[in-house]
Protein backbone atom coordinates (compact mmCIF):
# COMPACT_ATOMS: atom_id res chain seq x y z
CA UNK A 1 0.00 0.00 0.00
CA UNK A 2 1.27 3.49 -0.73
CA UNK A 3 1.40 6.25 1.87
CA UNK A 4 -1.74 7.94 0.59
CA UNK A 5 -3.73 4.75 1.02
CA UNK A 6 -2.40 4.26 4.54
CA UNK A 7 -3.28 7.88 5.31
CA UNK A 8 -6.85 7.13 4.30
CA UNK A 9 -6.76 4.02 6.49
CA UNK A 10 -5.49 6.06 9.44
CA UNK A 11 -8.08 8.78 8.98
CA UNK A 12 -10.64 6.00 8.74
CA UNK A 13 -9.75 4.86 12.25
CA UNK A 14 -12.24 7.48 13.40
CA UNK A 15 -15.96 7.60 12.74
CA UNK A 16 -16.41 11.05 11.26
CA UNK A 17 -20.17 10.84 10.82
CA UNK A 18 -22.14 12.55 13.55
CA UNK A 19 -20.90 13.89 16.83
CA UNK A 20 -18.03 12.09 18.48
CA UNK A 21 -18.63 13.92 21.74
CA UNK A 22 -21.37 11.52 22.77
CA UNK A 23 -18.97 8.58 22.53
CA UNK A 24 -17.54 7.48 25.87
CA UNK A 25 -13.82 7.12 25.19
CA UNK A 26 -13.29 5.20 28.43
CA UNK A 27 -16.20 2.80 28.81
CA UNK A 28 -16.14 0.48 31.76
CA UNK A 29 -15.15 -3.09 31.03
CA UNK A 30 -15.77 -6.11 33.19
CA UNK A 31 -12.99 -6.93 35.65
CA UNK A 32 -10.72 -9.83 34.75
CA UNK A 33 -11.59 -9.51 31.06
CA UNK A 34 -8.50 -9.64 28.77
CA UNK A 35 -7.72 -6.47 26.86
CA UNK A 36 -7.12 -8.55 23.75
CA UNK A 37 -8.26 -12.08 22.96
CA UNK A 38 -7.43 -13.54 19.55
CA UNK A 39 -8.66 -17.02 18.77
CA UNK A 40 -7.61 -19.14 15.77
CA UNK A 41 -7.01 -16.30 13.29
CA UNK A 42 -6.35 -17.22 9.68
CA UNK A 43 -5.33 -14.79 6.98
CA UNK A 44 -3.94 -15.41 3.52
CA UNK A 45 -2.49 -13.21 0.79
CA UNK A 46 -2.60 -16.16 -1.60
CA UNK A 47 -3.08 -19.92 -1.51
CA UNK A 48 -0.86 -20.32 1.57
CA UNK A 49 -2.17 -18.75 4.81
CA UNK A 50 0.09 -16.11 6.36
CA UNK A 51 -1.65 -16.49 9.72
CA UNK A 52 -2.69 -20.02 10.59
CA UNK A 53 -4.52 -20.71 13.86
CA UNK A 54 -2.94 -17.64 15.51
CA UNK A 55 -4.21 -17.22 19.08
CA UNK A 56 -3.17 -14.74 21.77
CA UNK A 57 -4.51 -13.33 25.04
CA UNK A 58 -3.16 -10.07 26.52
CA UNK A 59 -4.21 -8.99 29.99
CA UNK A 60 -4.41 -5.44 31.34
CA UNK A 61 -0.97 -3.97 32.00
CA UNK A 62 0.97 -6.50 29.96
CA UNK A 63 3.61 -5.31 27.47
CA UNK A 64 3.96 -8.20 25.06
CA UNK A 65 6.83 -8.12 22.56
CA UNK A 66 6.26 -10.00 19.29
CA UNK A 67 9.15 -11.06 17.07
CA UNK A 68 9.46 -13.38 14.10
CA UNK A 69 11.10 -13.81 10.69
CA UNK A 70 10.68 -11.12 8.04
CA UNK A 71 7.44 -11.66 6.17
CA UNK A 72 5.98 -13.91 8.87
CA UNK A 73 2.84 -11.77 9.25
CA UNK A 74 3.56 -9.56 12.27
CA UNK A 75 2.30 -6.34 10.67
CA UNK A 76 -0.58 -8.27 9.12
CA UNK A 77 -1.57 -9.46 12.60
CA UNK A 78 -1.70 -5.87 13.94
CA UNK A 79 -3.84 -4.76 10.99
CA UNK A 80 -6.21 -7.71 11.46
CA UNK A 81 -6.65 -6.82 15.14
CA UNK A 82 -8.09 -3.40 14.22
CA UNK A 83 -10.08 -4.55 11.21
CA UNK A 84 -7.84 -2.95 8.58
CA UNK A 85 -7.46 -6.44 7.14
CA UNK A 86 -10.14 -9.12 7.40
CA UNK A 87 -9.14 -12.62 8.54
CA UNK A 88 -10.77 -15.51 6.71
CA UNK A 89 -11.45 -17.20 10.03
CA UNK A 90 -11.10 -16.67 13.77
CA UNK A 91 -12.38 -14.35 16.48
CA UNK A 92 -11.09 -10.98 17.71
CA UNK A 93 -12.24 -9.68 21.10
CA UNK A 94 -11.05 -6.25 22.29
CA UNK A 95 -11.79 -4.97 25.79
CA UNK A 96 -14.39 -7.66 26.27
CA UNK A 97 -16.31 -7.02 23.03
CA UNK A 98 -16.06 -9.41 20.10
CA UNK A 99 -15.69 -7.57 16.80
CA UNK A 100 -18.04 -8.86 14.12
CA UNK A 101 -18.31 -5.92 11.74
CA UNK A 102 -16.93 -2.49 10.86
CA UNK A 103 -19.01 -0.76 13.53
CA UNK A 104 -17.46 -2.99 16.22
CA UNK A 105 -13.96 -2.29 14.93
CA UNK A 106 -14.71 1.44 14.73
CA UNK A 107 -15.49 1.45 18.44
CA UNK A 108 -12.38 -0.61 19.22
CA UNK A 109 -10.14 1.78 17.29
CA UNK A 110 -11.01 4.55 19.71
CA UNK A 111 -9.55 2.45 22.51
CA UNK A 112 -6.53 0.95 20.76
CA UNK A 113 -3.79 3.08 19.17
CA UNK A 114 -1.83 1.68 16.22
CA UNK A 115 1.64 2.96 15.34
CA UNK A 116 2.32 2.04 11.71
CA UNK A 117 5.73 0.64 10.81
CA UNK A 118 6.24 3.51 8.34
CA UNK A 119 5.40 6.91 9.91
CA UNK A 120 4.80 8.41 6.45
CA UNK A 121 1.74 6.18 6.31
CA UNK A 122 0.35 7.84 9.43
CA UNK A 123 1.09 11.54 8.88
CA UNK A 124 -1.22 13.14 6.33
CA UNK A 125 -2.15 16.65 7.57
CA UNK A 126 -0.47 19.91 6.43
CA UNK A 127 1.33 20.49 9.74
CA UNK A 128 2.65 18.40 12.62
CA UNK A 129 0.25 20.00 15.10
CA UNK A 130 -2.74 19.27 12.88
CA UNK A 131 -1.68 15.63 12.62
CA UNK A 132 -1.47 15.26 16.40
CA UNK A 133 -4.72 17.19 16.94
CA UNK A 134 -6.62 15.08 14.41
CA UNK A 135 -7.57 12.39 16.92
CA UNK A 136 -8.79 14.69 19.71
CA UNK A 137 -10.84 16.70 17.20
CA UNK A 138 -12.63 13.55 16.18
CA UNK A 139 -13.21 12.56 19.78
CA UNK A 140 -15.25 15.73 20.18
CA UNK A 141 -12.74 18.24 21.54
CA UNK A 142 -12.96 21.73 20.06
CA UNK A 143 -10.10 23.28 18.08
CA UNK A 144 -8.59 25.12 21.05
CA UNK A 145 -8.69 22.04 23.26
CA UNK A 146 -7.27 19.85 20.50
CA UNK A 147 -4.45 22.33 19.89
CA UNK A 148 -3.54 22.36 23.58
CA UNK A 149 -3.55 18.56 23.69
CA UNK A 150 -1.37 18.39 20.56
CA UNK A 151 1.16 20.87 21.97
CA UNK A 152 1.31 18.91 25.21
CA UNK A 153 1.91 15.61 23.46
CA UNK A 154 4.57 17.11 21.20
CA UNK A 155 6.35 18.43 24.27
CA UNK A 156 6.09 15.00 25.85
CA UNK A 157 7.89 13.32 22.94
CA UNK A 158 10.50 16.07 22.63
CA UNK A 159 9.10 17.92 19.61
CA UNK A 160 8.31 21.32 21.11
CA UNK A 161 8.66 23.94 18.37
CA UNK A 162 7.69 21.51 15.61
CA UNK A 163 4.00 22.48 15.60
CA UNK A 164 4.09 24.35 12.27
CA UNK A 165 6.58 22.05 10.55
CA UNK A 166 5.57 20.11 7.45
CA UNK A 167 5.48 16.40 8.29
CA UNK A 168 7.30 15.42 5.10
CA UNK A 169 10.22 17.72 6.05
CA UNK A 170 10.96 15.79 9.26
CA UNK A 171 13.62 13.15 9.64
CA UNK A 172 12.54 9.54 9.94
CA UNK A 173 12.95 9.57 13.70
CA UNK A 174 11.07 12.85 14.05
CA UNK A 175 8.20 11.47 11.98
CA UNK A 176 8.00 8.44 14.26
CA UNK A 177 7.88 10.69 17.33
CA UNK A 178 5.15 12.84 15.75
CA UNK A 179 3.10 9.74 14.93
CA UNK A 180 3.55 8.50 18.50
CA UNK A 181 2.43 11.88 19.84
CA UNK A 182 -0.75 11.45 17.80
CA UNK A 183 -1.41 8.14 19.53
CA UNK A 184 -0.79 9.62 22.96
CA UNK A 185 -3.27 12.40 22.19
CA UNK A 186 -5.99 9.74 21.85
CA UNK A 187 -5.31 8.36 25.36
CA UNK A 188 -5.85 4.77 24.21
CA UNK A 189 -6.25 1.91 26.65
CA UNK A 190 -3.87 -0.20 24.56
CA UNK A 191 -1.06 0.39 22.05
CA UNK A 192 -0.19 -1.71 19.01
CA UNK A 193 3.34 -0.61 18.11
CA UNK A 194 5.05 -1.73 14.90
CA UNK A 195 8.84 -1.41 15.28
CA UNK A 196 8.55 1.71 17.49
CA UNK A 197 12.31 2.22 17.96
CA UNK A 198 13.21 2.26 14.25
CA UNK A 199 15.06 5.43 13.29
CA UNK A 200 15.22 6.86 16.82
CA UNK A 201 18.36 8.21 18.43
CA UNK A 202 19.30 7.17 21.96
CA UNK A 203 17.56 10.06 23.70
CA UNK A 204 14.33 9.54 21.74
CA UNK A 205 14.36 5.80 22.42
CA UNK A 206 14.68 6.40 26.13
CA UNK A 207 11.91 9.00 26.02
CA UNK A 208 9.47 6.60 24.31
CA UNK A 209 10.41 3.75 26.64
CA UNK A 210 9.93 6.02 29.64
CA UNK A 211 6.49 7.15 28.47
CA UNK A 212 5.31 3.57 28.00
CA UNK A 213 6.64 2.56 31.41
CA UNK A 214 5.19 5.62 33.15
CA UNK A 215 1.73 5.23 31.66
CA UNK A 216 1.66 1.51 32.53
CA UNK A 217 0.14 1.08 29.08
CA UNK A 218 -1.03 -2.29 27.85
CA UNK A 219 0.96 -2.97 24.67
CA UNK A 220 1.55 -5.40 21.85
CA UNK A 221 4.93 -4.40 20.44
CA UNK A 222 6.35 -5.79 17.20
CA UNK A 223 10.11 -5.42 17.49
CA UNK A 224 13.44 -7.11 16.80
CA UNK A 225 15.13 -4.65 19.19
CA UNK A 226 16.40 -6.92 21.94
CA UNK A 227 17.24 -4.07 24.30
CA UNK A 228 13.72 -2.65 23.97
CA UNK A 229 12.29 -6.12 24.53
CA UNK A 230 14.31 -6.56 27.71
CA UNK A 231 13.43 -3.12 29.07
CA UNK A 232 9.72 -3.01 28.19
CA UNK A 233 8.55 -6.56 27.68
CA UNK A 234 6.67 -8.37 30.41
CA UNK A 235 6.30 -11.31 28.02
CA UNK A 236 7.90 -12.35 24.73
CA UNK A 237 6.20 -14.25 21.92
CA UNK A 238 7.09 -15.22 18.34
CA UNK A 239 5.11 -15.55 15.13
CA UNK A 240 6.41 -18.52 13.18
CA UNK A 241 4.73 -20.40 10.34
CA UNK A 242 1.49 -18.59 11.03
CA UNK A 243 1.25 -19.48 14.71
CA UNK A 244 2.01 -17.52 17.87
CA UNK A 245 4.36 -19.31 20.26
CA UNK A 246 6.20 -18.39 23.45
CA UNK A 247 9.42 -16.72 22.53
Amino acid sequence: MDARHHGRLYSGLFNLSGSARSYDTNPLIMPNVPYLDLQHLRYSYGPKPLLEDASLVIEQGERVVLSGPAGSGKTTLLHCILGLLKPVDGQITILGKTCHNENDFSIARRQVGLLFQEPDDQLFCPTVEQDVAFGPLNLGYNEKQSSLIAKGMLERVGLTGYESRLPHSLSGGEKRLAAFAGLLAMEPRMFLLDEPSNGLDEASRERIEGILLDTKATCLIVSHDQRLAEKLGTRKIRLDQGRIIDG
Side-chain angles (χ1 to χ4, degrees):
M1 297 181 188
D2 63 25
R4 288 175 298 174
H5 181 65
H6 265 309
R8 290 192 295 272
L9 278 180
Y10 183 66
S11 63
L13 296 183
F14 309 99
N15 178 10
L16 304 184
S17 61
S19 172
R21 186 178 297 278
S22 62
Y23 181 80
D24 181 0
T25 59
N26 287 292
L28 295 175
I29 61 172
M30 294 176 61
N32 304 318
V33 171
Y35 266 42
L36 179 67
D37 188 350
L38 309 179
Q39 295 297 323
H40 312 297
L41 294 191
R42 293 182 67 248
Y43 183 87
S44 177
Y45 280 120
K48 183 179 179 180
L50 188 59
L51 300 176
E52 179 67 50
D53 198 30
S55 297
L56 173 66
V57 175
I58 296 179
E59 305 287 351
Q60 179 180 3
E62 282 196 290
R63 295 186 300 275
V64 179
V65 179
L66 172 66
S67 62
S72 61
K74 301 181 296 297
T75 294
T76 296
L77 178 68
L78 297 187
H79 289 192
C80 285
I81 289 171
L82 285 186
L84 303 181
L85 295 174
K86 185 177 180 180
V88 297
D89 198 9
Q91 179 174 285
I92 300 169
T93 303
I94 299 174
L95 297 171
K97 181 173 178 58
T98 300
C99 296
H100 299 286
N101 51 47
E102 176 57 25
N103 183 64
D104 294 336
F105 282 111
S106 178
I107 293 172
R109 290 169 194 149
R110 293 175 175 270
Q111 299 295 312
V112 181
L114 170 63
L115 183 71
F116 284 94
Q117 186 174 114
E118 297 296 334
D120 280 327
D121 297 343
Q122 199 153 350
L123 302 172
F124 55 91
C125 290
T127 70
V128 171
E129 182 180 325
Q130 287 174 311
D131 258 313
V132 180
F134 180 84
L137 277 170
N138 288 286
L139 288 178
Y141 291 99
N142 62 37
E143 289 188 10
K144 183 177 180 180
Q145 291 169 327
S146 297
S147 177
L148 287 173
I149 292 170
K151 286 181 170 67
M153 295 305 104
L154 287 170
E155 179 181 7
R156 196 172 183 187
V157 302
L159 292 183
T160 298
Y162 284 68
E163 291 83 359
S164 298
R165 292 278 298 273
L166 305 177
H168 68 77
S169 72
L170 305 181
S171 70
E174 290 167 344
K175 289 177 181 177
R176 190 168 301 280
L177 290 171
F180 186 61
L183 295 191
L184 292 175
M186 294 291 296
E187 298 185 330
R189 285 178 173 266
M190 182 176 182
F191 290 98
L192 306 179
L193 306 175
D194 200 345
E195 301 290 356
S197 62
N198 277 5
L200 298 183
D201 60 25
E202 187 67 21
S204 297
R205 281 173 55 109
E206 291 182 358
R207 187 182 295 269
I208 295 303
E209 291 168 354
I211 289 171
L212 292 173
L213 289 171
D214 289 345
T215 59
K216 297 180 173 56
T218 301
C219 304
L220 175 57
I221 307 169
V222 170
S223 181
H224 290 95
D225 185 335
Q226 290 301 311
R227 199 189 78 173
L228 178 143
E230 291 297 329
K231 186 169 183 179
L232 288 182
T234 59
R235 178 159 56 107
K236 299 176 187 177
I237 56 175
R238 285 180 55 81
L239 184 58
D240 195 10
Q241 297 184 358
R243 289 178 169 83
I244 296 172
I245 58 176
D246 291 338

